[in-house]
């Protein structure tokens, strides 16, 4: 499984949120550093993944769309 890492700014508290999610592609990697990254929830819908990291500061949840290859869809 590959770990896709990304970062965004929480729109509620303006804090940087570093997150990762697990792409089920059969590859094996080490887990990202849990003192830096949080594990985001994800689910598969059709031809994409919906990834929802939770801000560790205020609890706000954002959702991002990723392709089946693990690329962020703008």
């Amino acid at each position: 499984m590959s770990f896709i890492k990304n970062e965004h700014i929480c729109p509620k508290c303006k804090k940087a949120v570093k997150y990762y999610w697990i792409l089920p592609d059969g590859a094996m990697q080490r887990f990202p550093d849990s003192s830096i990254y949080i594990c985001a929830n994800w689910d598969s819908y059709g031809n994409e993944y919906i990834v929802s990291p939770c801000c560790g500061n205020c609890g706000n949840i954002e959702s991002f769309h990723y392709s089946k290859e693990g690329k962020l869809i703008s």
Side-chain angles (χ1 to χ4, degrees), residues 4-8 19 21 48-51 53 63-74:
I4 308 298
K5 296 184 276 189
N6 210 336
E7 178 178 346
H8 77 95
Y19 65 93
W21 62 282
E48 63 185 37
Y49 294 103
I50 307 296
V51 179
S63 292
F64 301 98
H65 297 255
Y66 282 83
S67 70
K68 287 292 184 179
E69 294 77 34
K71 304 285 185 208
L72 182 64
I73 301 170
S74 318

Side-chain angles (χ1 to χ4, degrees), residues 14-32:
K14 309 300 184 216
K15 183 171 172 104
V17 178
K18 293 183 178 189
Y19 65 93
Y20 72 91
W21 62 282
I22 302 168
L23 179 66
D25 60 358
M28 296 300 289
Q29 292 181 330
R30 291 182 61 199
F31 278 93

Side-chain angles (χ1 to χ4, degrees), residues 42-59:
W42 62 272
D43 207 348
S44 177
Y45 291 101
N47 290 329
E48 63 185 37
Y49 294 103
I50 307 296
V51 179
S52 303
C54 179
C55 177
N57 189 49
C58 70

